Amino acid sequence: MAYPTQLGFQDAASPVMEELLCFHDHALMIVFLISTLVLYIIVAMVSTKLTNKFILDSQEIEIVWTVLPAIILILIALPSLRILYLMDEINDPHVTIKAMGHQWYWSYEYTDYENLEFDSYMVPTQDLTPGGFRLLETDHRMVIPKESPIRVLVSAEDVLHSWAVPSLGVKMDAVPGRLNQTTFIVTRPGVFYGQCSEICGANHSFMPIVVEAVPLESFENWSTLVLENA
């Protein structure tokens, strides 16, 4: 969960998000080194009156400033491609959930169960319980078991939406007539918040996403209770 004046990312709750955080730090250090080097060269050129005649026309330095950027790009591209393939890999999901975007709410269908589906609306400010988060709480949460591969099939019924939960490292567009899929594993129990990340109309800001990760036994009890009340 984000907090006021936060500058960094939310705490990772999935292996993919942990990889993304590590890659962010890796790329940021490279950017810092490049910025420091460029700043030093600019200051040196502006402040000194001396000129080195071997730098004005040098084959060696041209080779260096051609090869060095290529090496830096490779150091960024290889871990980036690795994470892209990790995010796209789906191995035997334990639970499959279909998330449908509507104007302006989400509906969830647990395809492994019969008649386990519900709509998820934002809780109005006046109906919030003490400790609830404004514009983020929903009347029905998407409950999942922790430490289990989860597959989410994302689509929309009317306009473009985007199903995004930052702490899980998940963001998938919901396109009408198209079924996209994403996967994640939640490593710890907790409640994780997200929002629609595609401008979808007047109430775009009022269709939050709440994912609650619980132990497997609690998930089975929850699913049984929902099916009994359906």
Side-chain angles (χ1 to χ4, degrees):
M1 180 65 193
Y3 54 86
T5 70
Q6 179 175 343
L7 297 178
F9 292 97
Q10 297 182 25
D11 292 337
S14 70
V16 169
M17 189 59 192
E18 291 176 2
E19 293 284 346
L20 289 172
L21 290 178
C22 291
F23 175 70
H24 169 267
D25 296 341
H26 167 73
L28 200 60
M29 286 306 301
I30 293 176
V31 171
F32 281 154
L33 291 174
I34 294 173
S35 302
T36 303
L37 177 62
V38 171
L39 181 63
Y40 169 76
I41 293 173
I42 292 174
V43 171
M45 291 180 64
V46 171
S47 61
T48 184
K49 295 181 180 180
L50 300 176
T51 302
N52 190 332
K53 65 179 182 179
F54 296 107
I55 294 180
L56 295 178
D57 185 18
S58 174
Q59 194 72 30
E60 290 77 11
I61 197 169
E62 290 186 8
I63 294 174
V64 170
W65 71 40
T66 301
V67 173
L68 192 59
I71 295 174
I72 292 173
L73 288 176
I74 292 172
L75 290 176
I76 295 176
L78 291 181
S80 175
L81 289 172
R82 172 178 169 271
I83 295 174
L84 280 175
Y85 279 102
L86 284 175
M87 293 175 69
D88 203 40
E89 189 172 345
I90 298 177
N91 290 324
D92 190 24
H94 294 178
V95 179
T96 299
I97 305 169
K98 184 166 71 174
M100 290 288 293
H102 309 265
Q103 287 183 312
W104 287 273
Y105 64 96
W106 293 96
S107 61
Y108 299 102
E109 178 184 347
Y110 290 70
T111 58
D112 303 297
Y113 297 82
E114 189 174 353
N115 297 326
L116 182 50
E117 53 185 297
F118 52 85
D119 297 330
S120 180
Y121 290 88
M122 185 193 75
V123 177
T125 303
Q126 62 271 17
D127 297 334
L128 283 174
T129 56
F133 297 105
R134 178 177 171 270
L135 302 183
L136 289 177
E137 295 289 352
T138 59
D139 55 354
H140 294 95
R141 295 173 172 175
M142 191 184 94
V143 181
I144 58 172
K146 72 182 182 73
E147 297 177 345
S148 298
I150 308 297
R151 176 172 60 183
V152 182
L153 305 176
V154 183
S155 186
E157 194 176 62
D158 34 49
V159 299
L160 290 175
H161 299 279
S162 184
W163 198 84
V165 183
S167 57
L168 302 180
V170 175
K171 184 179 185 296
M172 181 58 64
D173 287 341
V175 183
R178 180 184 177 90
L179 202 61
N180 294 326
Q181 71 176 0
T182 183
T183 183
F184 57 87
I185 300 174
V186 181
T187 54
R188 55 186 169 87
V191 180
F192 311 101
Y193 295 89
Q195 289 179 300
C196 176
S197 296
E198 188 76 44
I199 296 176
C200 56
N203 293 329
H204 159 67
S205 302
F206 308 119
M207 48 183 305
I209 301 160
V210 182
V211 178
E212 183 175 358
V214 298
L216 180 60
E217 183 179 355
S218 300
F219 173 76
E220 291 175 345
N221 294 336
W222 171 84
S223 60
T224 303
L225 182 63
V226 173
L227 289 172
E228 289 175 352
N229 295 332

